[in-house]
Amino acid sequence: MISAEVEEMLSKGICRANSVERKIYVNLNNTAPCVRLLNATHQTGCQSSRNGDTGVIHVVEKEDDLLWVLETGPNPPYMLLLDGFLFTRDTMAKLKGSSRVSGIAVAFSKPSPPDGFSPDLQCPNDGFGVYTEEHGSQFAHCNKTTWNPLGTGFSYEDFEFPIFLLQDENETEVIKQCYREHNIPQNGTDPKYPLCAMQLYSHMHAVTSTVTCMRRNSIQMSFSINPEAVCDTLAGYNVWSAVKPINISGTLAPEDRVIMVATKVDSRSFFWNIAPAAESTVSGMVTQLAAAEALQKVPDVQSLPMNIMFSFFQGEVFDYIGSSRMVYDMEKGKFPVKLSNIHSFIELNQVALRNNSFLWIHTDPLSRTNDSVNAEVEKLIETLRNSTTNPNVTVQEADQSKPLPPASFQRFLRARNIPGVVLTDHRNAYSNKYFHSIYDTADNIHMDYPDGLSKEEALEYITDAARSIADVASVLATTLYRLAGGNNTMEIKADPKTVTRMLYGFLKMSNNSWFQSIIRPEWKGILQDFQPQYYVTATLQGTKTTANNQTALLLSVLANLTGTVVNFTKEECQSLDKATDPKKELYDYYWVQGSRNENSTTRTPFCVRTSMRSHLAESPAFELVEWGSTEYSTWTESRWKEIRARIFLVPSHHLEIITLAVGLLVFIISLVVTYFINAKADILFSGTQEGDVNVAY
């Protein structure tokens, strides 16, 4: 049985089960597994055996504790509870090949590891950008700049045992308490049975590569009555919006010019569906949203000679899924804007950790060898430099001889030489020490709040991070206005209050009064009291791709910031056939919940007209049925039946053998007794003759 102290912890809600199971197992409900992902050539991630992996728990709090696990411990295999700061390449290299390790549970480190941690590659999205062996080989594989020097590459390795993240400190303490009570050697002797053990269950269905799993999916769909896929594509929706609405039923005229602004909206970490992405994703996304709002308020923005298009790309961390699909559709005439319509390109990358106020401009040295492209790039850089009078932002150009950092813009350059820049807070290597990791949280970008604030007060409190991002958004908005032909020389200001609301909703808690007021009623269930995550998610084979929760939040915020409230009824707003707007083909319409009425629980809903649209973000490789493509992303996610983690007490092997022997003996005796009773049934049960029985009705 589990100890009384652990039982008390369970009573607080960690385990909810019937009383018998509760005395045997402690279910760990707040965990996140490492799952299997596949691309054209490899499988990455983790999995357990078919029935889960079990091992005696050993807590590893310092490197010396590994000796017990790898060499001296008498009761292998071991299930490690690994402190987060020890989840390093050196530690994992020691554990990966050992038969004495059956799995790992990683405790979330608080505070974050001071030296940094990134499970991504040192050269993210290597091979899928503009620099290849055939084009710009001198820049391929990050030869000139190692952008993510802290990258361990864990997310791209294959582990043959399960690895889970423990997200709840109480559950971590339950495991440690069980370990202290049962597994620590006493007075120099080995620990006595029963021992505290852990089982991790995360068996994956897909193996080898996307080519293999998609072929098996195809066979299942073709020949099975009840098809069961083994993997699903990583996909979602891009989001885009134009300052001047664009009719999606046609294409722009060749003479129409568009300035494209872009950022990504997804992230990842080593663990499934855990991707806080504060610096790597949300900083750029919020900057672009704030700039879009600021531009929308400029009186003459609708009459500018050039249009401005804001794009938010999904699936970018998996070899540029969203941007690849948009470029592909532009080339095939399946998107209203063509590549030839793009005048220039500005991308927002990581921008929240600016050192000494510097905002760095990165350009592509290859496309700049073209004189006309170089002239436009020089003009763009000059406009950026002249678009701020704020001493908190210093715009500087990075070394022209160095390549672009990993960015969506690279996918556009693969198709066409387009003048463009990428804006970052780093000149060379990333300022972000937690790139694509579980520690890239609000704390990483210094979103600090005074003690004692209520949730509503925190929503409105303007943090230093919000001011910094608003400053960058102001530079971006002013630059876009002037590039598009605006004559007003005043600096356009982004609203720090809007920025701080977005940061709070996207990084702290989406279930706040502002998000509640701007979201569709049918989406209100996605609002949560905890931090949103930005993993792209998988699209089930044979089903329609749907927007994930974070895309729905983005759609709601963008519609609110750039849309216009129109006097439509709910029926008119949701059924355009009944709307009276003569330009309804140019817009989309959102019926949103609205704010709560004063001193009431009811809301006043309204209709928002917006030029915002969504666009399928699924790799062209799956439309082309080129599962082994090296041109396009081919990432898929394995399916599984169950993810489970639990601890329990395990008896000694001798007791297990005795129990088995006794059980077999009882079974054999029962068979013998049953045989003899059956053989002598006519004697044993012959006392009552059939005719002597009186039946009453």
Side-chain angles (χ1 to χ4, degrees), residues 282-312:
V282 174
S283 65
M285 184 173 71
V286 168
T287 302
Q288 186 160 296
L289 288 167
E293 181 197 35
L295 272 176
Q296 200 67 29
K297 296 177 180 178
V298 177
D300 63 340
V301 72
Q302 293 294 325
S303 60
L304 296 178
M306 280 192 283
N307 203 350
I308 301 168
M309 175 180 164
F310 295 95
S311 300
F312 301 83

Side-chain angles (χ1 to χ4, degrees), residues 241-243 261 284-302 308-312 348 460 462 466 469-478 480-481 491-503 506 514-515 518 554 556-564 610-612:
S241 176
V243 170
V261 199
M285 184 173 71
V286 168
T287 302
Q288 186 160 296
L289 288 167
E293 181 197 35
L295 272 176
Q296 200 67 29
K297 296 177 180 178
V298 177
D300 63 340
V301 72
Q302 293 294 325
I308 301 168
M309 175 180 164
F310 295 95
S311 300
F312 301 83
L348 270 296
E460 302 295 335
I462 300 177
I469 288 177
D471 290 340
V472 177
S474 299
V475 173
L476 176 62
T478 305
L480 292 171
Y481 174 77
E491 184 178 12
I492 301 170
K493 294 285 190 179
D495 186 357
K497 184 176 181 181
T498 301
V499 173
T500 209
R501 284 178 168 183
M502 287 192 286
L503 289 175
F506 285 131
W514 187 49
F515 275 26
I518 63 176
L554 171 61
S556 301
V557 172
L558 183 57
N560 176 265
L561 297 183
T562 63
T564 305
T610 173
S611 62
M612 174 189 66

Side-chain angles (χ1 to χ4, degrees), residues 230-459:
V230 296
C231 69
D232 302 295
T233 61
L234 295 182
Y237 281 95
N238 299 323
V239 175
W240 64 278
S241 176
V243 170
K244 293 186 283 188
I246 297 173
N247 192 338
I248 60 172
S249 61
T251 57
L252 290 182
E255 65 273 12
D256 290 338
R257 309 297 280 165
V258 173
I259 300 169
M260 194 165 183
V261 199
T263 192
K264 66 178 181 179
V265 297
D266 70 304
S267 187
R268 68 177 301 189
S269 74
F270 184 78
F271 301 99
W272 181 74
N273 207 28
I274 303 296
E279 162 71 338
S280 64
T281 298
V282 174
S283 65
M285 184 173 71
V286 168
T287 302
Q288 186 160 296
L289 288 167
E293 181 197 35
L295 272 176
Q296 200 67 29
K297 296 177 180 178
V298 177
D300 63 340
V301 72
Q302 293 294 325
S303 60
L304 296 178
M306 280 192 283
N307 203 350
I308 301 168
M309 175 180 164
F310 295 95
S311 300
F312 301 83
F313 293 126
Q314 183 67 268
E316 292 302 275
V317 302
F318 292 99
D319 299 333
Y320 306 120
I321 292 174
S323 55
S324 295
R325 184 53 181 257
M326 184 170 284
V327 171
Y328 175 82
D329 286 347
M330 285 179 171
E331 290 180 313
K332 299 297 181 182
K334 298 179 180 179
F335 193 80
V337 178
K338 296 181 180 180
L339 288 171
S340 57
N341 293 123
I342 301 176
H343 170 269
S344 52
F345 197 107
I346 300 178
E347 180 167 353
L348 270 296
N349 214 307
Q350 304 177 90
V351 294
L353 297 176
R354 290 184 295 115
N355 185 24
N356 295 327
S357 304
F358 284 115
L359 180 66
W360 292 99
I361 304 172
H362 300 265
T363 61
D364 171 42
L366 299 181
S367 61
R368 292 188 71 175
T369 58
N370 180 294
D371 291 340
S372 61
V373 170
N374 185 59
E376 290 295 335
V377 171
E378 292 286 357
K379 179 181 177 182
L380 206 166
I381 294 172
E382 188 65 21
T383 306
L384 276 163
R385 284 175 168 163
N386 294 335
S387 293
T388 178
T389 57
N390 190 330
N392 295 323
V393 182
T394 304
V395 178
Q396 289 280 4
E397 183 182 1
D399 190 342
Q400 289 187 24
S401 64
K402 290 190 175 181
L404 288 169
S408 305
F409 182 37
Q410 293 200 30
R411 290 302 302 191
F412 286 80
L413 287 174
R414 281 177 74 120
R416 183 184 177 90
N417 275 349
I418 299 172
V421 300
V422 177
L423 304 180
T424 73
D425 56 17
H426 53 88
R427 182 178 188 177
N428 296 303
Y430 293 162
S431 301
N432 185 4
K433 297 192 297 183
Y434 307 107
F435 182 71
H436 291 169
S437 83
I438 57 177
Y439 302 112
D440 191 7
T441 62
D443 292 339
N444 186 31
I445 62 172
H446 313 301
M447 271 180 61
D448 302 319
Y449 296 89
D451 294 334
L453 290 185
S454 67
K455 293 177 181 178
E456 285 303 307
E457 289 171 337
L459 175 66

Side-chain angles (χ1 to χ4, degrees), residues 401-680:
S401 64
K402 290 190 175 181
L404 288 169
S408 305
F409 182 37
Q410 293 200 30
R411 290 302 302 191
F412 286 80
L413 287 174
R414 281 177 74 120
R416 183 184 177 90
N417 275 349
I418 299 172
V421 300
V422 177
L423 304 180
T424 73
D425 56 17
H426 53 88
R427 182 178 188 177
N428 296 303
Y430 293 162
S431 301
N432 185 4
K433 297 192 297 183
Y434 307 107
F435 182 71
H436 291 169
S437 83
I438 57 177
Y439 302 112
D440 191 7
T441 62
D443 292 339
N444 186 31
I445 62 172
H446 313 301
M447 271 180 61
D448 302 319
Y449 296 89
D451 294 334
L453 290 185
S454 67
K455 293 177 181 178
E456 285 303 307
E457 289 171 337
L459 175 66
E460 302 295 335
Y461 180 81
I462 300 177
T463 62
D464 291 340
R467 289 191 179 91
S468 176
I469 288 177
D471 290 340
V472 177
S474 299
V475 173
L476 176 62
T478 305
T479 299
L480 292 171
Y481 174 77
R482 294 177 181 177
L483 283 175
N487 295 319
N488 195 326
T489 58
M490 65 177 290
E491 184 178 12
I492 301 170
K493 294 285 190 179
D495 186 357
K497 184 176 181 181
T498 301
V499 173
T500 209
R501 284 178 168 183
M502 287 192 286
L503 289 175
Y504 184 84
F506 285 131
L507 292 176
K508 287 288 189 179
M509 187 178 75
S510 59
N511 190 22
N512 59 71
S513 60
W514 187 49
F515 275 26
Q516 289 169 5
S517 68
I518 63 176
I519 203 164
R520 288 179 170 183
E522 62 268 27
W523 288 351
K524 64 181 180 181
I526 71 173
L527 300 179
Q528 303 292 337
D529 291 335
F530 46 81
Q531 177 180 353
Q533 305 296 327
Y534 294 89
Y535 181 69
V536 60
T537 70
T539 298
L540 301 183
Q541 287 293 297
T543 64
K544 183 180 179 181
T545 302
T546 57
N548 62 15
N549 291 355
Q550 285 61 54
T551 302
L553 292 178
L554 171 61
L555 288 166
S556 301
V557 172
L558 183 57
N560 176 265
L561 297 183
T562 63
T564 305
V565 176
V566 291
N567 189 25
F568 282 8
T569 65
K570 181 179 180 180
E571 187 178 27
E572 291 172 331
C573 193
Q574 296 180 335
S575 301
L576 288 185
D577 293 341
K578 300 178 181 178
T580 57
D581 191 344
K583 297 182 179 180
K584 57 187 177 184
E585 293 83 5
L586 299 176
Y587 298 98
D588 201 358
Y589 296 82
Y590 277 61
W591 183 257
V592 301
Q593 288 195 128
S595 302
R596 293 187 186 277
N597 297 323
E598 191 174 353
N599 300 323
S600 174
T601 59
T602 61
R603 296 181 178 275
T604 304
F606 55 90
C607 185
V608 176
R609 185 180 72 180
T610 173
S611 62
M612 174 189 66
R613 304 286 185 173
S614 59
H615 170 257
L616 179 65
E618 183 179 53
S619 172
F622 299 107
E623 180 172 307
L624 298 169
V625 197
E626 295 178 358
W627 304 324
S629 173
T630 57
E631 169 69 16
Y632 298 112
S633 169
T634 55
W635 284 100
T636 54
E637 178 185 274
S638 174
R639 284 196 183 183
W640 60 83
K641 285 194 180 296
E642 186 178 9
I643 299 293
R644 183 175 68 238
R646 59 188 183 181
I647 65 173
F648 55 94
L649 297 183
V650 61
S652 69
H653 296 303
H654 296 295
L655 181 58
E656 289 177 331
I657 293 172
I658 292 172
T659 303
L660 176 62
V662 171
L664 288 173
L665 180 62
V666 170
F667 176 67
I668 293 170
I669 292 173
S670 66
L671 286 178
V672 173
V673 171
T674 301
Y675 172 78
F676 279 106
I677 291 176
N678 186 60
K680 304 296 183 180

Side-chain angles (χ1 to χ4, degrees), residues 34-251:
C34 160
V35 303
R36 175 164 290 165
L37 297 170
L38 310 103
N39 61 17
T41 55
H42 293 81
Q43 65 180 30
T44 69
C46 320
Q47 78 154 354
S48 71
S49 59
R50 186 174 297 275
N51 296 314
D53 288 313
T54 302
V56 174
I57 295 173
H58 190 74
V59 175
V60 178
E61 296 178 325
K62 56 185 183 299
E63 286 194 29
D64 292 345
D65 295 334
L66 292 174
L67 184 63
W68 179 271
V69 174
L70 298 174
E71 297 181 17
T72 61
N75 303 301
Y78 285 97
M79 190 70 70
L80 277 64
L81 173 55
L82 189 68
D83 269 16
F85 71 90
L86 285 175
F87 189 45
T88 64
R89 172 161 289 284
D90 289 343
T91 301
M92 294 304 295
K94 295 174 183 177
L95 301 176
K96 189 174 181 180
S98 175
S99 60
R100 293 171 59 90
V101 177
S102 59
I104 300 174
V106 179
F108 194 95
S109 179
K110 289 186 178 180
S112 302
D115 295 332
F117 172 71
S118 171
D120 208 319
L121 299 171
Q122 293 188 348
C123 187
N125 286 358
D126 187 22
F128 287 85
V130 69
Y131 308 116
T132 64
E133 298 299 333
E134 293 75 30
H135 181 78
S137 59
Q138 69 271 34
F139 303 127
H141 316 304
C142 298
N143 284 336
K144 293 290 185 180
T145 303
T146 301
W147 296 106
N148 186 32
L150 295 176
T152 63
F154 284 171
S155 294
Y156 294 83
E157 292 189 22
D158 185 36
F159 295 90
E160 295 182 355
F161 49 73
I163 304 177
F164 278 51
L165 174 68
L166 301 175
Q167 298 177 265
D168 190 304
E169 291 181 354
N170 290 330
E171 290 188 344
T172 302
E173 184 55 35
V174 166
I175 299 170
K176 289 183 176 181
Q177 179 68 20
C178 189
Y179 166 79
R180 288 191 290 264
E181 291 180 358
H182 298 280
N183 294 8
I184 295 180
Q186 299 294 330
N187 301 320
T189 63
D190 294 338
K192 305 298 182 182
Y193 284 96
L195 298 176
C196 191
M198 180 186 295
Q199 182 187 53
L200 300 179
Y201 186 94
S202 60
H203 181 66
M204 301 286 119
H205 293 179
V207 295
T208 308
S209 67
T210 290
V211 176
T212 300
C213 81
M214 292 300 288
R215 184 173 65 245
R216 292 178 179 178
N217 281 354
S218 180
I219 293 172
Q220 283 280 331
M221 299 300 176
S222 300
F223 300 106
S224 177
I225 298 175
N226 297 307
E228 188 171 325
V230 296
C231 69
D232 302 295
T233 61
L234 295 182
Y237 281 95
N238 299 323
V239 175
W240 64 278
S241 176
V243 170
K244 293 186 283 188
I246 297 173
N247 192 338
I248 60 172
S249 61
T251 57

